[in-house]
Amino acid sequence: MPRKTVLKLTGVDRHYGQGDTVLSILKGANFELNSGEVVALVAPSGTGKSTLLHLAGLLEHPDAGEIYINGEPSNGLPDERRTAIRRTDIGFVYQFHHLLPEFSALENIMMPQMIAGLPKKEAAERAAQLLDYMRIGHRAGHRPAELSGGEQQRVAIARAVANAPLLLLADEPTGNLDPETASYVFEALEALVRQSGLAALIATHNHDLADRMDRRVTIEGGKIREF
C-alpha cells in the first residue's frame, strides 16, 4: 500500500511574547510525516516539542506558514472544521493518561466514538476489540484507579485510536513508566500503528525507544532536523 503524507509543515513560525521580548520557538520549520511511519521527536526540554505537537494537532495556530493534515491546509479553516479534524483524523496520547476516573476502561474508549456519532453497541464492540489487541481485554470493566500505570496508558492509546485517526501524536507516552513497562507499552503502540497504517509522531526522552522507531527528528534553532 503506497504511503501518503499525513502531516506536512511548511515554513512554520511560532513565537510567544514574554514581557517586552518575543520568544521564537519555531522559525521556518518544515516537516513531513507519512502513513505507516513512526517518528521519534527527541529534543531537550524547552526547545518546542510540545509546541510542535500542539500545532500538528491543530490545538494552536502558527504565526506563519501552513500545516496540512492529509493534504488539507488548516490555517484558514473555521474552528468548527478544525475541531472536526481533531475529532476524526487525529489521536492524542499524553504522559499522563487523562482517563475519566468514573468510567471503566471500556467506557473510556467508547466515549470518543459515541461523541463522533457511532451507536453505543458498535462503540462497545470496537472498544472491546482494541482492549483485546492491547492485551488487556480482561480489564475492560475496571476503572482507571484499579489499573496499573502500564494498563492505564494502554487504555489511553486505545482511546486515542478509537475513531481510526490518520495521525497519532504522543507526548512522552511512557514517561511515567518504569523501563520494562515502557518497553511493553511502546511495543503495543508500535504494533497498533503498523497494523492500522496511521502516522505517528512520538515525543520522548527515551533514546532506547527512539532507536526502535523509523527515524528521529529534533528541534534546533527553530528548525526541525533529522538525526
Side-chain angles (χ1 to χ4, degrees):
M1 184 175 178
R3 289 188 172 186
K4 61 181 179 180
T5 301
V6 174
L7 171 66
K8 183 176 181 180
L9 280 67
T10 58
V12 168
D13 291 358
R14 187 69 174 115
H15 55 256
Y16 302 96
Q18 286 190 337
D20 295 329
T21 63
V22 174
L23 180 63
S24 293
I25 303 298
L26 296 177
K27 295 181 284 187
N30 300 302
F31 177 65
E32 290 190 10
L33 179 65
N34 300 314
S35 58
E37 188 175 35
V38 184
V39 173
L41 173 58
V42 182
S45 297
T47 55
K49 294 194 304 296
S50 293
T51 295
L52 175 55
L53 292 173
H54 289 167
L55 289 167
L58 307 188
L59 296 171
E60 294 185 25
H61 287 270
D63 296 297
E66 184 59 88
I67 297 171
Y68 299 85
I69 304 294
N70 200 30
E72 181 178 4
S74 63
N75 293 354
L77 295 177
D79 288 342
E80 293 82 3
R81 176 59 184 152
R82 290 170 65 88
T83 299
I85 292 173
R86 284 197 302 271
R87 185 169 59 239
T88 60
D89 294 346
I90 304 174
F92 298 90
V93 181
Y94 300 98
Q95 184 171 353
F96 186 70
H97 57 78
H98 293 297
L99 298 173
L100 298 172
E102 65 271 31
F103 295 102
S104 68
L106 186 79
E107 290 166 339
N108 266 279
I109 302 170
M110 290 172 60
M111 205 71 64
Q113 300 178 76
M114 294 173 65
I115 291 172
L118 200 68
K120 184 176 181 179
K121 183 175 183 295
E122 293 180 34
E125 289 173 354
R126 175 158 173 79
Q129 290 171 355
L130 285 167
L131 286 171
D132 284 341
Y133 191 86
M134 300 299 282
R135 290 182 281 183
I136 49 172
H138 61 292
R139 307 289 275 167
H142 291 72
R143 294 184 180 183
E146 301 170 314
L147 303 174
S148 69
E151 289 170 339
Q152 290 169 346
Q153 204 61 331
R154 277 182 278 167
V155 174
I157 292 167
R159 180 183 59 183
V161 302
N163 285 332
L166 301 170
L167 173 64
L168 180 67
L169 302 171
D171 194 356
E172 297 288 350
T174 62
N176 283 331
L177 307 176
D178 64 80
E180 183 177 354
T181 304
S183 179
Y184 190 78
V185 168
F186 176 77
E187 181 182 321
L189 171 59
E190 183 183 29
L192 195 59
V193 170
R194 303 298 187 197
Q195 186 272 336
S196 61
L198 58 80
L201 178 62
I202 302 174
T204 182
H205 282 105
N206 188 323
H207 288 272
D208 290 334
L209 295 185
D211 287 341
R212 293 161 60 177
M213 302 189 210
D214 296 319
R215 55 191 174 100
R216 295 197 293 174
V217 297
T218 190
I219 301 172
E220 292 179 352
K223 307 286 188 185
I224 302 170
R225 305 188 187 281
E226 190 149 348
F227 274 59

